[in-house]
Amino acid sequence: MNTIFRASVSFLILGAVTATTLSGQQPERNPFSQNSAVSQAPQGYTKEGVFGHKAMVVSAHPLASQVGAEILRHGGNAFDATVAVQLTLAVVFPVAGNISGGGFIVARMANGKTVTLDFREAAPMLASRDMFLDSAGNVIPRLSTFGHKASGVPGTVDAMVKLHKQYGKLPWKALVQPAIDIARNGVFLTVREAEGLNEVRESLEYYNPGKTYFLKPNKSPWKAGDKLVQEDLASTLERIRDKGRDGFYKGKTAELLVAEMKRGGGFITQKDLDAYSAKWRTPLRGSYRGHTIITMPPPSAGGVGLLQMLTILEAQPLKEWGVNSEKTAHCMIEVERRVYADRSEYLGDPDFYNVPMKGLLDQQYLRSRMSNYSPDKATPSTEITYGKDVRSFGSNDQTTHFSIVDPEGNAVALTTTLNGGYGSKVVVDGGGFFMNNEMDDFSVKPGAPNMFGAIGGEANAIQARKRMLSSMTPTIVEKDGKLSFLLGTPGGTTITTSVLQGIINIIDHSMTAQQAVNTKRFHHQYVPDIVRVEHGTFTTEVETALQQKGHTFRNIGTIGKLDVILRRADGSLEGAADPRGDDMAIGF
Ligand code: DON
């Protein structure tokens, strides 16, 4: 088996990503439409979908997708492929792929059973509520985002081992081997990866004063086509291959990690590594226009927020209004603003804070959230707060996502992250992998924005062993009891609204998976009170109309990288890789 994988991996060609162009054209008017909103088709990317009869892998890197597809071709199931893709991404996509971060899995078995696995990082036992504040109570800049103190206890390897034990078919070793081979033989950097590493060069030098292979020996900038060889990571992965969980959380890897923490004043100890355990959680289920939405419960804020937004939007004629039209955008922005206000108050790790799920998802409550909505003008966020009566309802660049469907019909949606690009920028000396900077996803001080501008309070305050709130929203959609599509994306707080737009594009606007992915996106998150947009999301006419209603726009380059698999009416699969990255769909 290993020989097969080695051989297949060795002839993979990098850069074979489908050509992508950004349309700079003004949209054409649709002469048949009487509805001005519909006629203003938004500009979008032009990547093409990929089709398969039986199976599909869509991930952020061509090599990772190829490894996943090879596993499926050789009799592995979606869970086997998930392990192999996750570990390969740790090698070929170090900006977000990881063995030292965390994430969420939402899975649907061929027989319809659904599960989620929460492998979000946990605060170290030595962590405390005010650990990122100075003696005057002010947030110490950069402390929760850079360097050793920024890391939570990693969850990835524990989750991969658990997933494989429960549902895997192929031998564990065969799933780890492709990542080892690529780490040892080297991976050719894409333009984006070379630029990514160059952008953090100073931080890498600062936090890794010995040396790291993520810096070129002569400190010259990386360029596309340069080969990155990761010997230390290959050895770490070999320990994981041979010892499973203990290859990371005990023995040499653990010693290297804990020594690195000591060197830089970090908090993670061997006790933390021993105590970490990924958790199976009951999936959240909701419905939208006859579809069943299966998504991630807390500590993801994404799944709850997604269901809240879909529930409110279901009453609106989005199809008639058209995609990215004035009416659709205004309504969606106003819904997003209110739902993110709820998030800032009520969402946190459910094992430490009583999240009022029942209230947050109550139909009547959600209708009441829109009582001060006006179709004609934006409601300033200063006039919005979280819904006050929730409890009365009783108890209740950088992350990455991949989607996999196997020939048996099992489906896995996995979103994983180090948080910021290359996490804390600390590479474990001798271990060869980046540590996460996930502690910043806690509310380090009530009302103080995190790196994505999100605010929070008590629900998401730091506490030893608690998991920080996340926006990651891996999601699976069913229609008539059958798999319809699965999706997810990176993008910090924009994750949930990108998933929302993906779902609405497919269900309301009858798009193919790739059209849904290519379409430009926008985002509002309550505070700051701005609409983040990709260039060209709205026509000038629509943007002016929205500004007149009181919306303020900020262009933020690209939003998210949705990787989607859609089961079509004839049972075939469409894989849609996001053109905003090096993402690739491979199906057969
Ligand atoms: O879990 C979260 O919500 C964040 N740590 C995700 C970070 C992210 O998506 C960055 N990527 N673009």
Side-chain angles (χ1 to χ4, degrees), residues 134-210:
D134 63 18
S135 52
N138 298 316
V139 178
I140 304 168
R142 293 168 64 94
L143 203 60
S144 65
T145 49
F146 284 87
H148 298 70
K149 290 185 170 58
S151 296
V153 185
T156 301
V157 175
D158 189 64
M160 292 305 114
V161 171
K162 277 204 169 83
L163 185 75
H164 179 253
K165 272 209 178 106
Q166 189 74 27
Y167 298 111
K169 263 169 70 179
L170 295 186
W172 169 256
K173 290 189 177 188
L175 308 179
V176 189
Q177 193 62 44
I180 297 171
D181 293 341
I182 302 171
R184 191 141 278 141
N185 296 333
V187 55
F188 296 106
L189 298 181
T190 65
V191 175
R192 286 185 178 89
E193 285 152 11
E195 283 173 355
L197 283 168
N198 292 339
E199 271 167 29
V200 297
R201 189 166 63 175
E202 278 179 22
S203 302
L204 292 181
E205 282 171 13
Y206 183 80
Y207 290 106
N208 304 283

Side-chain angles (χ1 to χ4, degrees), residues 234-556:
S235 302
T236 298
L237 287 164
E238 277 168 354
R239 290 190 288 277
I240 294 169
R241 176 196 63 193
D242 297 339
K243 300 201 170 96
R245 186 190 190 281
D246 289 353
F248 184 84
Y249 293 89
K250 286 191 191 306
K252 182 159 181 200
T253 313
E255 282 162 25
L256 292 168
L257 194 158
V258 171
E260 183 63 49
M261 287 289 119
K262 281 207 177 115
R263 183 176 78 72
F267 293 111
I268 301 173
T269 63
Q270 182 60 52
K271 258 173 105 178
D272 286 309
L273 297 177
D274 292 341
Y276 186 85
S277 182
K279 295 180 185 180
W280 298 103
R281 295 191 189 274
T282 309
L284 268 186
R285 291 175 90 86
S287 67
Y288 183 68
R289 300 198 203 283
H291 295 71
T292 301
I293 313 290
I294 301 146
T295 188
M296 193 67 208
S300 168
V304 193
L306 178 68
L307 295 187
Q308 287 186 293
M309 293 189 282
L310 287 172
T311 304
I312 302 174
L313 288 168
E314 196 169 22
Q316 305 302 327
L318 300 183
K319 187 180 178 67
E320 186 190 313
W321 288 346
V323 64
N324 292 358
S325 65
E326 178 191 333
K327 283 183 177 162
T328 299
H330 175 69
C331 181
M332 286 175 70
I333 291 163
E334 291 303 306
V335 171
E336 291 171 9
R337 182 197 307 280
R338 287 160 174 83
V339 166
Y340 275 74
D342 278 358
R343 169 199 158 112
S344 70
E345 177 66 13
Y346 292 116
L347 269 296
D349 182 346
D351 297 339
F352 286 75
Y353 183 84
N354 187 7
V355 180
M357 294 293 285
K358 204 166 164 225
L360 288 169
L361 292 171
D362 185 273
Q363 299 265 352
Q364 210 182 327
Y365 167 71
L366 288 169
R367 265 198 300 277
S368 75
R369 293 294 282 139
M370 299 303 282
S371 57
N372 59 350
Y373 168 73
S374 157
D376 304 320
K377 85 176 202 3
T379 317
S381 286
T382 45
E383 290 174 19
I384 298 272
T385 182
Y386 48 89
K388 287 285 196 274
D389 47 356
V390 172
R391 295 211 180 271
S392 65
F393 288 91
S395 69
N396 37 320
D397 256 301
Q398 283 289 345
T399 298
T400 188
H401 174 87
F402 58 87
S403 297
I404 300 178
V405 173
D406 70 18
E408 293 169 31
N410 302 303
V412 174
L414 185 153
T415 314
T416 181
T417 188
L418 291 165
N419 195 22
Y422 310 99
S424 65
K425 319 295 185 280
V426 173
V427 180
V428 170
D429 193 23
F433 54 90
F434 282 106
M435 288 301 296
N436 67 79
N437 59 345
E438 219 76 59
M439 290 298 284
D440 188 62
D441 269 348
F442 277 117
S443 172
V444 302
K445 180 184 174 177
N450 72 3
M451 74 163 88
F452 302 104
I455 57 167
E458 182 59 31
N460 191 31
I462 304 175
Q463 209 177 322
R465 304 193 63 181
K466 186 174 172 182
R467 297 179 187 204
M468 54 295 279
L469 190 61
S470 172
S471 300
M472 292 185 285
T473 316
T475 297
I476 298 181
V477 179
E478 281 176 0
K479 181 88 203 305
D480 302 328
K482 291 198 186 125
L483 177 69
S484 178
F485 59 96
L486 54 153
L487 75 173
T489 177
T493 40
T494 67
I495 289 173
T496 317
T497 52
S498 290
V499 170
L500 175 76
Q501 288 166 92
I503 292 174
I504 286 174
N505 287 347
I506 291 174
I507 296 181
D508 292 78
H509 302 306
S510 312
M511 291 188 189
T512 65
Q514 193 68 53
Q515 287 167 342
V517 168
N518 290 355
T519 301
K520 296 287 186 74
R521 300 193 267 263
F522 60 92
H523 167 81
H524 195 290
Q525 61 177 48
Y526 171 47
V527 286
D529 192 352
I530 49 167
V531 184
R532 297 171 200 204
V533 282
E534 294 186 312
H535 177 71
T537 299
F538 303 119
T539 61
T540 315
E541 206 179 330
V542 168
E543 189 160 324
T544 308
L546 289 167
Q547 277 164 341
Q548 279 162 1
K549 286 184 198 288
H551 297 290
T552 307
F553 292 93
R554 184 171 303 161
N555 191 322
I556 60 162

